[in-house]
Amino acid sequence: MIRVNGRDVADRDGATIADLLADLGVEADARGVAVAVDGEVIPQGEWPAFTVSAGSRVEAVTAVQGG
Amino acid sequence: MIRVNGRDVADRDGATIADLLADLGVEADARGVAVAVDGEVIPQGEWPAFTVSAGSRVEAVTAVQGG
Amino acid sequence: MIRVNGRDVADRDGATIADLLADLGVEADARGVAVAVDGEVIPQGEWPAFTVSAGSRVEAVTAVQGG
Amino acid sequence: MIRVNGRDVADRDGATIADLLADLGVEADARGVAVAVDGEVIPQGEWPAFTVSAGSRVEAVTAVQGG
Amino acid sequence: MNDPFLLAGRELGSRLILGTGGFPRMETLADAIGATGTELVTVAVRRIDPAARHSLIDVLQACGVRVLPNTAGCFTARDAVLTAQLAREAFETDWVKLEVIGDERTLLPDAPELLVAAEQLVADGFTVLPYTTDDPVLARRLEDAGCAAVMPLGSPIGSGMGIRNPYNLTLIVEQAGVPVILDAGVGTTSDAALAMELGCDAVLCASAISRAVDPVAMARAIRAGVEGGRLARLAGRIPRRTHAQASSPMDGLPELAAADVPTP
Amino acid sequence: MNDPFLLAGRELGSRLILGTGGFPRMETLADAIGATGTELVTVAVRRIDPAARHSLIDVLQACGVRVLPNTAGCFTARDAVLTAQLAREAFETDWVKLEVIGDERTLLPDAPELLVAAEQLVADGFTVLPYTTDDPVLARRLEDAGCAAVMPLGSPIGSGMGIRNPYNLTLIVEQAGVPVILDAGVGTTSDAALAMELGCDAVLCASAISRAVDPVAMARAIRAGVEGGRLARLAGRIPRRTHAQASSPMDGLPELAAADVPTP
Amino acid sequence: MNDPFLLAGRELGSRLILGTGGFPRMETLADAIGATGTELVTVAVRRIDPAARHSLIDVLQACGVRVLPNTAGCFTARDAVLTAQLAREAFETDWVKLEVIGDERTLLPDAPELLVAAEQLVADGFTVLPYTTDDPVLARRLEDAGCAAVMPLGSPIGSGMGIRNPYNLTLIVEQAGVPVILDAGVGTTSDAALAMELGCDAVLCASAISRAVDPVAMARAIRAGVEGGRLARLAGRIPRRTHAQASSPMDGLPELAAADVPTP
Amino acid sequence: MNDPFLLAGRELGSRLILGTGGFPRMETLADAIGATGTELVTVAVRRIDPAARHSLIDVLQACGVRVLPNTAGCFTARDAVLTAQLAREAFETDWVKLEVIGDERTLLPDAPELLVAAEQLVADGFTVLPYTTDDPVLARRLEDAGCAAVMPLGSPIGSGMGIRNPYNLTLIVEQAGVPVILDAGVGTTSDAALAMELGCDAVLCASAISRAVDPVAMARAIRAGVEGGRLARLAGRIPRRTHAQASSPMDGLPELAAADVPTP
């Protein structure tokens, strides 16, 4: 089980960050997106290769309106 | 007809101020009372003798709470 | 003696307003000028004919900078 | 050499705190006085016995007017 | 401290004048009078109500205070003058707190009517204490007309908004040759204190006390403000400074860093 | 009125704390202490001056007041902690008014250093009363660190500018679980009254009294402000209104125009 | 934005009226007129000075602005009326900025004299624009007397103290049926903006521009304040809130603590 | 006027920074960006919402403005640092508006946590623009820590209460060696103008514009305030005077009383 943006995602242990972003409808070369795995920022260049192990927490963020 | 404190009073034409005050439950030597007839202040000493003619307007006032 | 703008002017009794203005360097068709004699405003059209008698006070005014 | 309240005091190496206070005109049982040696507060009970070695810094303080 | 307050030649022992309006019960009014220490209270003049159970005048007499009738509710000089004349007859006093109101919503004074009324009442022998705006020129014209004091407002009657324009009040105080009594606007202790600190000679207060949750406690509170503000005015306050001024000495500081750390 | 002021478990009979700095003479200080009715006064800690003729501590003891040492002049947590420890030894009290200053010109507190010092002193068993900015978050962090009160400033020490940001002070009062003591900025009576009206539990005042033209008179004046402001807070003030609320009844008005003028 | 300013039936393209007093040179005045975009400027009426080298009227005509004569310096209704009549003759306009001053030091208006002068000038056919106090009742009486606008002060002429009593100005705006023009007191851009935000229809400004270090730059600055304040009034500002309202969403926050730290 | 605004070595053509929060629609945001003329806008960092239809970043790129990510919603230094690192990765900028909040209700900064976060981010190579309280000492400590600007609040985020303590803001400006940007509290044009008049280098504004009834009109309004306030600062305002300074000459007055009345 991986936790992506606060939701448990089943059957994706070992998926890459790129895979998980695709699940969210985000392409791997999307602008304005960043990803942290277990509190560490993973550079965009590593997304295709970086595999996320079970129990990890993934946060995928982008810009929203804010002061 | 005489108008006393904004109300028409019947059958009192020719009454004295003292009479009219008595109608209001006020004695002629009451403290803190003043009377105007047709816009003129009538000293307390004249109340027993001062007769109010028909059509006149009498205002009898006293102190109330006020800033 | 006539008093023009607070100063006594000699030998001008009977002069016209136009004369007195000329003394001040003001032409009779000057823009932005008004004249009062003894507290009364005299319209510009009357200046050539209006004679100022001895003892009168003439005020000739114009615009100055002011809030 | 000992430094007492910011002044170098000669010939007092090995003196006790009580001795040094006496130099300042302060008795060992004075009220409202405290002493630090080299940044450590020394309780009043130790003043008669506590010897101050050469090179030490003594601060002897009391109350003054202050907000 | 000997600090008498002279108003129209009469010495008053308190610089707080109490308005009697708004008290829920006569007993509370009496208690509040005691708590303020006031010697002068205002009353309004209204038609006799045959149903009224209490005599306000009797209560005030029992309290030992002097009565200051007002002309509240008058919108013209004529009404105000006649009301004052009625009051003089009723209360055997030629003092009057003159109100000539120009607006029902704000109860602000009508400057030109007020001046006319003041002139007429002075001519008729009254001791006129006019409720006025915070306009310094109007205050002086009222003084020139012979008023015994000027009573500028801090803010509208009963608004509790305090002193909206301390600058104008200061101008009035600086120029006045008669007592200046802040009338209207006081909401709480600090408002009353500020009025006195600015140099007012006295404060008139009604609603802030009478309509407080606990009127008698508030009477004590505002009395403290008046007395404290007066004391502060006389005591000579410190000037305002943009920066700090130390209240503890900056010399004699011990050097407390460890000995092995060289100090500058 | 039973209105005890509990500070660190101790009941104080006065809500005015006096700073001793700035008094020209010891006699004046003693008289001012009497005039304020205070039970708690601050002192600073400085090197013994062999030339000093008077013992401040003896004077204060004779006045019967409790001593609250401060750490004025300290610019680091370390200096403040050591100064507090010296004070504890000297004055046999674990109470300390904690000051950690961040700027010589304004004497404003250094927030991060202050918090560090407070944590260390609380851990060392002190009853910590920190002089702080008017920042509500810092006030809560100081309370969370175990301080026995928070002492926000109204404006810089000795500036006499009063309470520059009443909004922040209100936020601090609303959230505080420990007493809030206004420290610094009071210039006169109305400032002290306002602090109490806003909900402060007490006021600490030094320069406004000690440097007034007449310090003892000002001591009485500011005492009146503190007491009056506290009374007003408890009495429940009237709400502020944009418009007026009549203090005299609008009905029962006599109709005073001449009879031959028809009235509506 | 179509936002015409109608004054006495005439549409003006600028809501800033410029007073010509205080400019060091005619060239600067002309440049400042251009920088403000004003269409209406005031002038005073004084005795002809034979030594004067420049004709103010010619300069103003060249600038294409309308002249609004004032009655500055008049202390009585009579002087003001005569001055207005002279101005009407000299400048061929029946518009007049009516000033009747009651005090030399503050140059504040004399309310009763002002009203008398206004009534007489209206009767004589003038379009009367009276410089008045911030007294809402006086403002209404001037409007009732037929004035084409009311021009309350923010603070004394040339004082640069801004709007001392925004509450009174708000009351004037709420009730007015004629344009309200803030006259006197503006010191800088924010003062002019505030006047417009409070609902004034226009601002009259002289000293703040003419006596600034750089008058032409300040002319642009105050123009921006007037225009920006007007825009803000029309745009509908957010309400004032005691607490915060987040400008960033509070949901969607990532959980960034390390995975081995259990999160609540 | 050549008046460049240098922020972290970059020249910006506008002194107004726009927060993007609170706009009801992207189109309105884009229009408001155009109306302000801003070159720098803030965004928040939140979890990707698969349902979101618009890409904020694309809109901002189309507008040609630079993105300034913030750390809104972070209550600890750790969260703020991680959020900044995410933002740097996402938006390819090392600029960050650093927010570390200490209270949910007021959204006021947490001073000690803010300083810790600033130090860590500076060490990590960020250009740190911290949202801070109006505490001058904290502002200097942030500058000393290497922040590229300080962004003190006027009042709480979204409160529209303007600048509650202009005195503190003035102190910050006087001492700052980096730009001072007023952040939070602006409600309308005059607030923005005042900030610039007090010497701020720029203003950051979100809710006042985005939540106005007409956001685009308010964008123009506040732009005018910023530009006008800046102009006024540079133009050199007149000093404030307690009394008046005549804007019309007091000499050359005609004597208008009738001739038969002797004049003095």
Side-chain angles (χ1 to χ4, degrees), chain G residues 7 22 55 58-59 89 94 103 140 144 164 199 211 213 235 244:
Chain G
L7 182 58
S55 164
D58 289 346
V59 170
E89 183 67 20
D94 58 10
D103 179 69
R140 192 167 49 205
D144 290 347
R164 302 305 289 178
R211 300 191 203 275
V213 176

Side-chain angles (χ1 to χ4, degrees), chain E residues 79-213:
Chain E
D79 273 0
V81 167
L82 280 168
T83 299
Q85 289 168 339
L86 280 168
R88 176 166 60 181
E89 183 68 19
F91 312 125
E92 294 165 24
T93 176
D94 58 10
W95 286 27
V96 63
K97 178 187 162 189
L98 176 61
E99 297 186 29
V100 186
I101 300 303
D103 179 69
E104 290 197 355
R105 195 175 55 139
T106 58
L107 301 178
L108 293 174
D110 183 318
E113 284 290 299
L114 178 65
L115 184 59
V116 169
E119 289 166 344
Q120 292 181 6
L121 287 170
V122 167
D124 195 12
F126 281 87
T127 294
V128 182
L129 311 173
Y131 165 63
T132 180
T133 66
D134 61 4
D135 174 359
V137 171
L138 183 60
R140 191 167 50 205
R141 293 210 56 182
L142 289 165
E143 177 180 344
D144 290 346
C147 292
V150 288
M151 304 182 67
L153 57 83
S155 50
I157 292 171
S159 71
M161 288 202 296
I163 299 171
R164 303 305 287 178
N165 193 339
Y167 169 72
N168 269 11
L169 198 58
T170 299
L171 289 177
I172 291 173
V173 165
E174 283 175 3
Q175 77 184 14
V178 293
V180 178
I181 303 171
L182 185 82
D183 186 4
V186 165
T188 185
T189 299
S190 57
D191 297 333
L194 177 58
M196 300 304 290
E197 289 160 5
L198 292 173
C200 290
D201 298 274
V203 167
L204 192 158
C205 183
S207 303
I209 293 173
S210 66
R211 299 191 204 274
V213 177

Side-chain angles (χ1 to χ4, degrees), chain G residues 2 23 49 55 64 145 168 194 198 210:
Chain G
N2 186 20
F23 284 94
D49 175 5
S55 164
N168 269 12
L194 177 58
L198 292 174
S210 66

Side-chain angles (χ1 to χ4, degrees), chain B residues 3 5-6 36 38-39 55-57 59 61 64-67, chain F residues 247-249 252-263:
Chain B
R3 196 164 174 85
N5 280 355
D38 296 338
S56 285
R57 251 186 18 216
E59 295 287 343
V61 301
V64 302
Q65 288 177 243
Chain F
S247 62
S248 298
L253 282 164
E255 291 169 16
L256 296 170
D260 54 350
V261 180
T263 52

Side-chain angles (χ1 to χ4, degrees), chain A residues 36 38-39 57 59 61 64-67, chain G residues 247-249 254-259 261 263:
Chain A
D38 296 338
R57 251 186 18 215
E59 295 287 343
V61 301
V64 301
Q65 288 177 245
Chain G
S247 61
S248 298
E255 291 169 17
L256 296 170
V261 180
T263 52

Side-chain angles (χ1 to χ4, degrees), chain A residues 19-65:
Chain A
D19 294 336
L20 296 173
L21 285 175
D23 294 350
L24 294 171
V26 175
E27 299 183 30
D29 62 350
R31 289 163 27 84
V33 173
V35 174
V37 177
D38 296 338
E40 293 291 322
V41 178
I42 311 299
Q44 188 160 12
E46 302 179 18
W47 295 352
F50 192 108
T51 56
V52 180
S53 47
S56 285
R57 251 186 18 215
V58 176
E59 295 287 343
V61 301
T62 189
V64 301
Q65 288 177 245

